[in-house]
Amino acid sequence: MELTHIEHLGIAVKSIEAQLPYYENVLGLKCYSIEEVADQKVKTAFFKIGQTKIELLEPTSEDSAVAKFIEKKGEGIHHIAFATASVADALTEVESKGVQLIDKAPRKGAEGLNIAFLHPKTTGSVLTELCEDPNK
Ligand code: CMX
């Protein structure tokens, strides 16, 4: 499997609005998109640094994965996402090497990417996402 770069870092926040001044006024990044991902029960805000993005994740429901994470661990880094040419091929390979899949097949994530999550129990406690840009 070839991972090309870190596609994004997901950061769990209670409120995107409350965190925007830090990212924009202190770090000097520009939020270029705010998008709700209904099936994940999150609102997302994206910033770009070179090839890599920062994705702020605000829960839109008390039963969302991100709300559970904040309740248990507090705000902070939630997941790392790697870019690869084929998420389907990568899933087959990592599963054969003993990694537990959260998503058995690629599905649509934010920004129209094909994505899949790997379970943190089998990835050194780091929730890991694989991403493929269908337009590349
Ligand atoms: N990073 C590392 N570990 C995590 C974690 C995270 N983000 N979220 C949960 N865990 C850990 C828990 O602490 C727990 O560990 P312990 O058993 O040692 O306490 C373990 O994983 C299982 O947690 P759980 O509470 O039993 O299970 P959850 O119901 O919280 O589910 C997970 C955890 C990872 C399977 C679930 O959050 C998931 O399916 N995530 C993938 C989807 C997702 O995160 N979507 C939001 C982002 C969407 C987007 O980027 O657009």
Side-chain angles (χ1 to χ4, degrees):
M1 172 175 56
E2 193 190 343
L3 302 177
T4 54
H5 59 282
I6 294 175
E7 212 284 331
H8 65 266
L9 287 176
I11 299 179
V13 299
K14 290 178 186 163
S15 161
I16 285 173
E17 197 188 347
Q19 293 302 328
L20 275 181
Y22 169 67
Y23 287 91
E24 295 204 310
N25 304 337
V26 180
L27 296 183
L29 303 174
K30 177 94 191 90
C31 175
Y32 67 87
S33 162
I34 292 193
E35 179 188 344
E36 190 162 334
V37 184
D39 69 331
Q40 294 296 300
K41 299 177 181 165
V42 288
K43 187 163 96 174
T44 61
F46 282 96
F47 307 82
K48 208 161 192 181
I49 312 167
Q51 262 191 302
T52 300
K53 300 164 195 159
I54 301 276
E55 177 188 34
L56 299 186
L57 296 157
E58 175 188 316
T60 55
S61 158
E62 278 178 12
D63 63 347
S64 84
V66 174
K68 281 175 80 176
F69 176 86
I70 291 174
E71 195 182 304
K72 201 165 173 182
K73 302 192 186 205
E75 292 176 297
I77 294 182
H78 178 261
H79 66 267
I80 186 167
F82 296 110
T84 188
S86 168
V87 171
D89 289 352
L91 288 178
T92 304
E93 183 174 338
V94 298
E95 191 172 33
S96 77
K97 291 179 175 172
V99 171
Q100 186 184 329
L101 309 183
I102 292 174
D103 299 296
K104 301 274 178 211
R107 61 180 171 80
K108 282 288 171 207
E111 301 200 303
L113 300 181
N114 298 328
I115 63 120
F117 280 92
L118 312 180
H119 202 288
K121 286 275 184 210
T122 52
T123 59
S125 299
V126 178
L127 178 60
T128 300
E129 181 180 356
L130 300 170
C131 302
E132 165 194 335
D133 185 342
N135 300 313
K136 279 191 182 159

